[in-house]
Amino acid sequence: MTPQSIRRFALELDGPEEAVYSSGEVVSGKVVLELRGELRLSELVVLGRGAATAHWLENRSPGVNTAYSDYTSKVIYFRKKQRLIRDNGELTTLPAGRHEYPFSFQLPEETLVTSFEGKHGSIRYWVKVKLHRPWCTVRKIKKEFTVIEPIDINTPSLLAPQAGTKEKIARAWYRNFGQVSITAKIDRKGYTPGEVIPVFAEFDNSTSRSVVPKACITQTQTFIARGTMKQKQSVVATLSGDVVGARRRETWHGRAIKIPPVGPSILQCRIIKVEYMLRVCVDVPGTSKLCLELPLVMGTIPLHPFGSRTSSVSSHYSLNMEWLRMAIPEQPEPPPEYSSIVTEEEAIQNSPAARQEEDLSGVLERSFMAYVQEFRFRPPPVYSEVDPNPQPFNMRPRCMTC
């Protein structure tokens, strides 16, 4: 047996090339061995792994003798091991040709964490194959796969509106320019990439200078190791408003800011978190800006088209329904009989024989709304240059002063 006996050593996962998994699903595939000649091996093992790792270095003593502190932490989410060829104390001989060894393992039922790649850490899932041969180095193949844990934004906590107010006194060199305030609101907390967030805000500029309102969506990556935290913040979308003059007020009636293709929020990992925020700010010349932050959660399951649109709408609707339940009894009383409230003479006078006959056939064949709609969409009368109802010449004009 020589190392050149192996023509091809490959790991193939079932399904499409960019397959995505979630907790509880089965990852399956096969190990392919194509041999030119006979091959003797002791063991063939498949390993499944999932782990979150945070790592970074920090300067302790900058200068010539620079020293670094190493911050590292790791969380294991699952470990699976499957022996395709066992080591029973004797070598296994494979003849020349193609050999396939299928494998499969189930991901844990408990919630996993979405795959992630960051500057100071990562969350990765992979399958590794090890081929053990006598008197040879172990040959390894590793293939990563993606795990995305679903985040359904159709939950009460993520459908709740987010609102806030913030104000500050603008000062520069001990000089007071006045007060600036921001009031902002969004319909809900949970969104999915590609959606548009309508921003409702009011900017009250009581200063003697013009200010510029802005809004942006930020992503904050937090890495935790050895009790120390490292953060990386980036802006993923921006929105700029018009200049608000001195002692003026500006209102946004649903200014749209679109969410770009970004990864979902990661909130369940102990050492890595990915959070999003909508920041509504005001730039005041000569002093620090005023910012109001509204939390966001990037989900994977979009808003149901026929579900609750927003918690504010649903709560308002439910409030109205509660009021109706209190005001209207469940079983209304039937109306009184006609004969009990009308005298015999009135009944004879109002009878069909006493009234002028009318042809009402077909009136009740259609619903009342049909007649309402017919009247609503009736075209206007035809315009004519000739007055169809001319005024007689012998009629005296009305005196306006009388």
Side-chain angles (χ1 to χ4, degrees), residues 6 28-29 71 75 140 158 168 184 204 209 223 225 234 256 286-287 292-293 322 328 355-357 367 386 393:
I6 302 177
S28 60
Y71 293 88
V75 176
K140 303 176 183 179
L158 298 185
K168 69 172 293 187
D204 190 0
R209 295 188 174 187
F223 307 90
S234 58
T287 184
L292 173 65
E293 296 183 342
E322 290 295 331
I328 302 177
R355 290 179 299 174
Q356 185 178 0
E357 294 186 359
S367 63
V386 180
F393 292 99

Side-chain angles (χ1 to χ4, degrees), residues 285-302:
T287 184
S288 60
K289 66 173 63 176
L290 172 64
C291 286
L292 173 65
E293 296 183 342
L294 302 177
L296 296 175
V297 172
M298 293 298 163
T300 59
I301 301 177

Side-chain angles (χ1 to χ4, degrees), residues 157-190:
S157 60
L158 298 185
L159 289 176
Q162 304 297 304
T165 301
K166 203 167 185 180
E167 59 186 24
K168 69 172 293 187
I169 301 296
R171 293 187 178 94
W173 295 102
Y174 304 102
R175 182 182 176 185
N176 190 348
F177 295 115
Q179 180 176 281
V180 181
S181 64
I182 301 174
T183 302
K185 177 186 175 182
I186 54 178
D187 291 338
R188 47 191 160 95
K189 184 178 181 180

